[in-house]
Coordinates of all heavy atoms in Angstrom, one line a residue:
M14 N 116.2 97.2 79.8 CA 115.9 96.5 81.1 C 115.5 97.4 82.1 O 114.5 97.0 82.8 CB 117.2 95.8 81.4 CG 117.0 94.9 82.6 SD 116.0 93.5 82.1 CE 116.1 92.8 83.8
K15 N 115.9 98.5 82.4 CA 115.5 99.5 83.3 C 114.1 100.1 83.1 O 113.4 100.4 84.0 CB 116.5 100.6 83.5 CG 117.9 100.2 84.0 CD 118.8 101.2 84.3 CE 120.2 100.6 84.6 NZ 121.3 101.7 84.7
S16 N 113.7 100.4 81.9 CA 112.5 100.9 81.5 C 111.3 100.1 82.1 O 110.3 100.8 82.6 CB 112.4 101.1 80.0 OG 113.4 102.1 79.6
P17 N 111.2 98.9 81.8 CA 110.0 98.1 82.4 C 110.0 98.2 83.9 O 108.9 98.2 84.5 CB 110.2 96.7 81.9 CG 111.1 96.8 80.7 CD 112.0 98.0 81.0
L18 N 111.1 98.2 84.6 CA 111.1 98.2 86.0 C 110.7 99.6 86.6 O 109.8 99.7 87.3 CB 112.5 98.0 86.6 CG 112.8 98.0 88.1 CD1 112.0 96.9 88.6 CD2 114.2 97.9 88.3
I19 N 111.1 100.6 85.9 CA 110.7 101.9 86.3 C 109.2 102.1 86.0 O 108.4 102.6 86.8 CB 111.4 103.0 85.6 CG1 112.8 103.0 86.1 CG2 110.9 104.4 85.7 CD1 113.8 104.0 85.4
L20 N 108.8 101.7 84.8 CA 107.3 101.7 84.5 C 106.5 101.0 85.5 O 105.3 101.4 85.9 CB 107.1 101.2 83.0 CG 105.6 101.2 82.6 CD1 105.1 102.8 82.5 CD2 105.6 100.7 81.2
G21 N 106.9 99.8 85.8 CA 106.2 98.9 86.8 C 106.1 99.7 88.1 O 105.0 99.6 88.8
A22 N 107.1 100.2 88.5 CA 107.2 101.0 89.9 C 106.2 102.2 89.9 O 105.3 102.5 90.8 CB 108.4 101.5 90.2
M23 N 106.1 102.9 88.7 CA 105.2 104.0 88.4 C 103.7 103.5 88.5 O 102.7 104.0 89.1 CB 105.4 104.7 87.2 CG 106.8 105.5 87.3 SD 107.3 106.2 85.7 CE 106.0 107.4 85.4
V24 N 103.4 102.4 87.9 CA 102.1 101.8 87.8 C 101.7 101.3 89.3 O 100.5 101.6 89.7 CB 102.0 100.6 86.8 CG1 100.6 99.9 87.0 CG2 102.1 101.1 85.5
L25 N 102.7 100.8 90.1 CA 102.3 100.4 91.4 C 102.0 101.5 92.3 O 101.0 101.5 93.1 CB 103.6 99.6 92.0 CG 103.4 99.0 93.3 CD1 102.3 98.0 93.4 CD2 104.7 98.5 93.8
V26 N 102.7 102.6 92.3 CA 102.5 103.7 93.1 C 101.2 104.4 92.6 O 100.4 104.8 93.5 CB 103.7 104.7 92.7 CG1 103.2 106.2 93.3 CG2 104.9 104.4 93.4
A27 N 100.9 104.4 91.3 CA 99.6 105.1 90.9 C 98.4 104.1 91.5 O 97.3 104.8 91.9 CB 99.4 105.1 89.4
S28 N 98.4 102.9 91.3 CA 97.4 102.0 91.9 C 97.3 102.1 93.4 O 96.2 102.0 93.9 CB 97.6 100.6 91.4 OG 98.7 100.1 91.9
A29 N 98.4 102.4 94.0 CA 98.3 102.5 95.5 C 97.6 103.7 96.0 O 97.1 103.8 97.1 CB 99.8 102.4 96.2
C30 N 97.5 104.7 95.1 CA 96.9 106.1 95.4 C 95.4 106.1 95.2 O 94.8 107.1 95.5 CB 97.7 107.3 94.7 SG 99.3 107.4 95.2
A31 N 94.9 105.1 94.6 CA 93.5 105.0 94.2 C 92.5 105.3 95.3 O 91.7 106.2 95.1 CB 93.2 103.7 93.4
N32 N 92.6 104.7 96.4 CA 91.6 104.7 97.5 C 92.2 105.2 98.8 O 91.9 104.8 99.9 CB 91.1 103.3 97.7 CG 90.3 102.9 96.6 OD1 89.7 103.7 95.9 ND2 90.4 101.6 96.2
Q33 N 93.0 106.4 98.8 CA 93.6 106.9 99.8 C 93.1 108.3 100.1 O 92.6 109.0 99.2 CB 95.1 106.8 99.8 CG 95.7 105.4 99.6 CD 97.2 105.5 99.5 OE1 97.8 106.5 99.1 NE2 97.7 104.4 99.7
T34 N 93.4 108.7 101.2 CA 93.0 110.2 101.7 C 94.0 111.0 101.1 O 95.2 110.5 100.7 CB 93.0 110.2 103.3 OG1 94.4 110.1 103.7 CG2 92.2 109.4 104.0
P35 N 93.7 112.3 101.0 CA 94.8 113.3 100.5 C 96.1 113.2 101.2 O 97.1 113.3 100.6 CB 94.1 114.5 100.6 CG 92.7 114.3 100.4 CD 92.5 113.0 101.2
E36 N 96.0 113.0 102.4 CA 97.2 113.1 103.4 C 98.2 111.8 103.1 O 99.3 111.8 102.8 CB 96.9 113.0 104.8 CG 96.4 114.3 105.3 CD 94.9 114.4 105.1 OE1 94.2 113.3 104.8 OE2 94.3 115.5 105.2
Q37 N 97.4 110.8 102.8 CA 98.1 109.5 102.4 C 98.7 109.5 101.0 O 99.8 109.1 100.6 CB 97.2 108.3 102.4 CG 96.8 107.8 103.9 CD 95.7 106.9 104.0 OE1 94.9 106.8 103.1 NE2 95.8 105.9 105.0
Q38 N 97.9 110.2 100.1 CA 98.5 110.4 98.7 C 99.8 111.2 98.7 O 100.7 111.0 98.0 CB 97.4 111.0 97.9 CG 96.2 110.0 97.6 CD 95.2 110.6 96.7 OE1 95.2 111.8 96.4 NE2 94.3 109.9 96.2
H39 N 99.7 112.3 99.5 CA 100.9 113.2 99.7 C 102.1 112.4 100.2 O 103.3 112.5 99.7 CB 100.6 114.5 100.6 CG 101.7 115.3 100.8 ND1 102.1 116.1 99.7 CD2 102.6 115.5 101.8 CE1 103.2 116.9 100.2 NE2 103.4 116.5 101.5
E40 N 101.9 111.6 101.2 CA 103.0 110.7 101.8 C 103.5 109.7 100.7 O 104.8 109.6 100.5 CB 102.5 110.0 103.0 CG 103.6 109.2 103.6 CD 103.2 108.5 105.0 OE1 102.2 108.9 105.6 OE2 103.8 107.6 105.3
V41 N 102.7 109.2 100.0 CA 103.1 108.3 98.8 C 103.9 109.1 97.8 O 104.9 108.5 97.3 CB 101.9 107.5 98.3 CG1 102.3 106.8 96.9 CG2 101.4 106.5 99.3
A42 N 103.4 110.2 97.4 CA 104.0 111.0 96.5 C 105.5 111.5 97.0 O 106.5 111.4 96.2 CB 103.3 112.3 96.2
C43 N 105.6 111.7 98.3 CA 106.9 112.1 98.9 C 107.9 110.9 98.7 O 109.1 111.0 98.4 CB 106.8 112.5 100.2 SG 106.1 114.1 100.5
I44 N 107.4 109.8 99.1 CA 108.3 108.5 99.1 C 108.5 108.2 97.7 O 109.8 107.9 97.4 CB 107.6 107.3 99.8 CG1 107.4 107.6 101.3 CG2 108.3 106.0 99.7 CD1 106.6 106.7 102.1
S45 N 107.6 108.2 96.9 CA 107.9 107.7 95.4 C 108.8 108.8 94.7 O 109.7 108.5 93.9 CB 106.7 107.6 94.6 OG 105.9 108.9 94.6
G46 N 108.7 110.1 95.1 CA 109.5 111.1 94.5 C 111.0 111.0 95.0 O 111.9 111.0 94.3
S47 N 111.1 110.6 96.2 CA 112.5 110.3 96.8 C 113.1 109.1 96.1 O 114.3 109.1 95.7 CB 112.5 110.1 98.3 OG 112.0 111.2 98.9
F48 N 112.2 108.0 96.0 CA 112.8 106.8 95.3 C 113.2 107.0 93.8 O 114.3 106.6 93.4 CB 111.7 105.7 95.5 CG 112.1 104.5 94.7 CD1 112.9 103.5 95.3 CD2 111.5 104.1 93.6 CE1 113.4 102.4 94.7 CE2 111.8 102.9 92.9 CZ 112.8 102.1 93.6
M49 N 112.3 107.6 93.2 CA 112.6 107.8 91.7 C 113.7 108.8 91.6 O 114.7 108.6 90.7 CB 111.3 108.4 91.0 CG 110.2 107.4 91.0 SD 110.7 105.7 90.0 CE 111.0 106.2 88.6
G50 N 113.9 109.8 92.4 CA 115.0 110.6 92.2 C 116.3 109.9 92.5 O 117.4 110.1 91.9
A51 N 116.3 109.0 93.6 CA 117.6 108.2 93.8 C 117.9 107.2 92.8 O 119.0 107.2 92.4 CB 117.3 107.5 95.1
V52 N 116.8 106.7 92.1 CA 117.2 105.8 90.9 C 117.8 106.6 89.7 O 118.7 106.2 89.2 CB 115.9 105.0 90.6 CG1 116.0 104.3 89.3 CG2 115.4 104.0 91.7
L53 N 117.1 107.7 89.5 CA 117.7 108.6 88.3 C 119.0 109.0 88.6 O 119.9 109.2 87.7 CB 116.6 109.5 88.0 CG 115.3 109.0 87.4 CD1 114.3 110.2 87.2 CD2 115.5 108.3 86.2
G54 N 119.1 109.5 89.9 CA 120.4 110.0 90.3 C 121.6 108.9 90.3 O 122.7 109.2 89.6
G55 N 121.2 107.9 90.6 CA 122.2 106.6 90.5 C 122.4 106.2 89.1 O 123.7 106.0 88.7
A56 N 121.5 106.2 88.2 CA 121.7 106.0 86.8 C 122.7 106.9 86.2 O 123.5 106.8 85.4 CB 120.4 105.9 86.2
A57 N 122.3 108.2 86.5 CA 123.2 109.4 86.1 C 124.6 109.2 86.5 O 125.6 109.4 85.7 CB 122.7 110.7 86.4
G58 N 124.8 108.9 87.8 CA 126.1 108.7 88.3 C 126.9 107.5 87.6 O 128.1 107.5 87.6
S59 N 126.1 106.5 87.2 CA 126.8 105.3 86.7 C 127.3 105.7 85.2 O 128.2 104.9 84.7 CB 125.9 104.3 86.4 OG 124.8 104.6 85.5
L60 N 127.0 106.8 84.7 CA 127.6 107.3 83.4 C 128.9 107.8 83.6 O 129.7 108.2 82.6 CB 126.6 108.2 82.8 CG 125.3 107.6 82.5 CD1 124.3 108.7 81.7 CD2 125.4 106.3 81.5
I61 N 129.4 108.1 84.8 CA 130.6 109.0 85.1 C 131.8 108.0 85.5 O 131.6 107.1 86.4 CB 130.4 109.9 86.2 CG1 129.3 111.0 85.7 CG2 131.7 110.7 86.6 CD1 128.9 111.9 86.8
G62 N 132.9 108.1 84.9 CA 134.1 107.5 85.3 C 134.1 106.1 85.2 O 133.4 105.4 84.5
G63 N 135.0 105.5 86.0 CA 135.2 104.0 86.1 C 135.8 103.5 87.4 O 136.3 104.4 88.1
G64 N 135.6 102.3 87.7 CA 136.2 101.7 89.0 C 135.5 102.3 90.3 O 134.3 102.5 90.3
V65 N 136.3 102.6 91.3 CA 136.0 103.2 92.5 C 135.3 104.6 92.3 O 134.3 104.8 92.9 CB 137.0 103.2 93.4 CG1 136.6 103.9 94.8 CG2 137.7 101.9 93.8
G66 N 135.8 105.3 91.4 CA 135.2 106.7 91.1 C 133.8 106.5 90.6 O 133.0 107.3 91.0
R67 N 133.5 105.6 89.8 CA 132.2 105.3 89.4 C 131.3 104.9 90.5 O 130.1 105.3 90.6 CB 132.2 104.2 88.3 CG 130.8 103.9 87.7 CD 130.9 102.9 86.5 NE 129.8 102.9 85.8 CZ 129.7 102.2 84.7 NH1 130.7 101.4 84.3 NH2 128.6 102.3 84.0
D68 N 131.7 104.0 91.5 CA 130.9 103.7 92.6 C 130.6 104.8 93.4 O 129.4 105.0 93.9 CB 131.7 102.7 93.4 CG 131.8 101.3 92.7 OD1 131.2 101.1 91.7 OD2 132.7 100.6 93.0
V69 N 131.6 105.7 93.6 CA 131.4 107.0 94.4 C 130.3 107.9 93.7 O 129.5 108.3 94.3 CB 132.8 107.7 94.6 CG1 132.5 109.1 95.2 CG2 133.6 106.8 95.5
A70 N 130.4 107.9 92.3 CA 129.5 108.8 91.6 C 128.2 108.2 91.7 O 127.1 109.0 91.9 CB 130.0 108.9 90.2
I71 N 128.0 106.9 91.7 CA 126.6 106.4 91.8 C 126.0 106.6 93.1 O 124.8 106.9 93.2 CB 126.7 104.8 91.4 CG1 126.9 104.5 90.0 CG2 125.4 104.1 92.0 CD1 127.3 103.1 89.8
A72 N 126.8 106.4 94.1 CA 126.3 106.8 95.6 C 126.0 108.2 95.7 O 124.9 108.6 96.2 CB 127.4 106.3 96.5
A73 N 126.9 109.1 95.2 CA 126.6 110.5 95.3 C 125.4 110.8 94.4 O 124.5 111.7 94.9 CB 127.8 111.3 94.9
G74 N 125.2 110.4 93.2 CA 124.0 110.6 92.4 C 122.8 110.1 93.1 O 121.8 110.7 93.0
S75 N 122.8 109.0 93.7 CA 121.7 108.5 94.5 C 121.2 109.3 95.5 O 120.0 109.6 95.8 CB 122.0 107.1 95.0 OG 122.1 106.1 93.8
V76 N 122.1 109.7 96.4 CA 121.9 110.6 97.6 C 121.3 112.0 97.0 O 120.3 112.4 97.5 CB 123.1 110.8 98.5 CG1 123.0 111.8 99.5 CG2 123.4 109.5 99.1
A77 N 121.9 112.6 96.1 CA 121.5 113.9 95.6 C 120.2 113.7 94.9 O 119.4 114.7 95.1 CB 122.6 114.5 94.6
G78 N 120.0 112.7 94.0 CA 118.6 112.5 93.5 C 117.6 112.2 94.4 O 116.5 112.8 94.2
G79 N 117.9 111.4 95.4 CA 116.8 111.2 96.5 C 116.5 112.5 97.2 O 115.2 112.8 97.4
Y80 N 117.4 113.3 97.4 CA 117.2 114.6 98.2 C 116.3 115.5 97.2 O 115.3 116.1 97.6 CB 118.5 115.4 98.6 CG 118.2 116.6 99.2 CD1 117.8 116.7 100.5 CD2 118.6 117.8 98.4 CE1 117.6 118.0 101.0 CE2 118.4 119.0 99.1 CZ 117.9 119.1 100.2 OH 117.6 120.4 100.8
A81 N 116.8 115.7 96.0 CA 116.0 116.5 95.0 C 114.7 116.0 94.7 O 113.8 116.8 94.7 CB 116.9 116.6 93.7
G82 N 114.4 114.8 94.6 CA 113.1 114.1 94.4 C 112.3 114.4 95.6 O 111.1 114.7 95.4
Q83 N 112.8 114.3 96.8 CA 112.1 114.6 98.0 C 111.6 116.0 98.1 O 110.4 116.4 98.4 CB 112.8 114.1 99.2 CG 112.0 114.2 100.5 CD 112.1 115.5 101.3 OE1 113.0 116.3 100.9 NE2 111.2 115.8 102.1
R84 N 112.5 116.9 97.7 CA 112.2 118.3 97.8 C 111.2 118.6 96.7 O 110.4 119.5 97.0 CB 113.5 119.1 97.5 CG 114.6 119.1 98.6 CD 114.2 119.6 99.9 NE 114.1 121.1 99.7 CZ 113.7 121.9 100.6 NH1 113.2 121.5 101.8 NH2 113.6 123.2 100.4
Y85 N 111.4 118.0 95.6 CA 110.4 118.4 94.5 C 109.0 117.8 94.8 O 108.0 118.5 94.6 CB 110.9 117.9 93.2 CG 110.0 118.1 92.0 CD1 109.8 119.4 91.4 CD2 109.2 117.1 91.5 CE1 109.0 119.5 90.3 CE2 108.3 117.2 90.5 CZ 108.2 118.5 89.9 OH 107.3 118.7 88.8
S86 N 108.8 116.6 95.3 CA 107.5 116.1 95.3 C 106.8 116.3 96.6 O 105.5 116.3 96.8 CB 107.7 114.4 95.3 OG 108.5 114.0 96.3
C87 N 107.6 116.8 97.8 CA 107.0 117.1 99.0 C 106.7 118.5 99.1 O 106.0 118.9 100.0 CB 107.9 116.6 100.1 SG 107.9 114.8 100.2
G88 N 107.2 119.3 98.3 CA 107.1 120.7 98.3 C 107.8 121.5 99.4 O 107.7 122.2 100.2

């Protein structure tokens, strides 16, 4: 279920970059890197624990993944 959603988001980002200046492409890359990092971090966090601990792990994974994605994609 998650794979088609992620694939769709990647196609949307790729098509949005088609007719943009390099500065706009960089900004889209930064935003999409942050978004994808947060999604993947949240998914990884959902594999940990249960109950409230799982909710905390999802939130922490999303924040950490968003930060890592932003750092990676924005340079």
Side-chain angles (χ1 to χ4, degrees):
M14 181 70 179
K15 292 179 185 179
S16 296
L18 181 62
I19 292 172
L20 180 61
M23 291 171 61
V24 169
L25 182 63
V26 168
S28 66
C30 291
N32 296 320
Q33 294 181 344
T34 66
E36 293 83 15
Q37 290 171 327
Q38 289 178 353
H39 179 72
E40 185 175 339
V41 169
C43 286
I44 292 169
S45 62
S47 299
F48 175 75
M49 292 305 293
V52 168
L53 294 174
S59 71
L60 301 175
I61 298 172
V65 175
R67 184 177 195 173
D68 294 340
V69 171
I71 292 171
S75 294
V76 170
Y80 177 75
Q83 188 269 339
R84 297 290 293 169
Y85 177 77
S86 64
C87 294

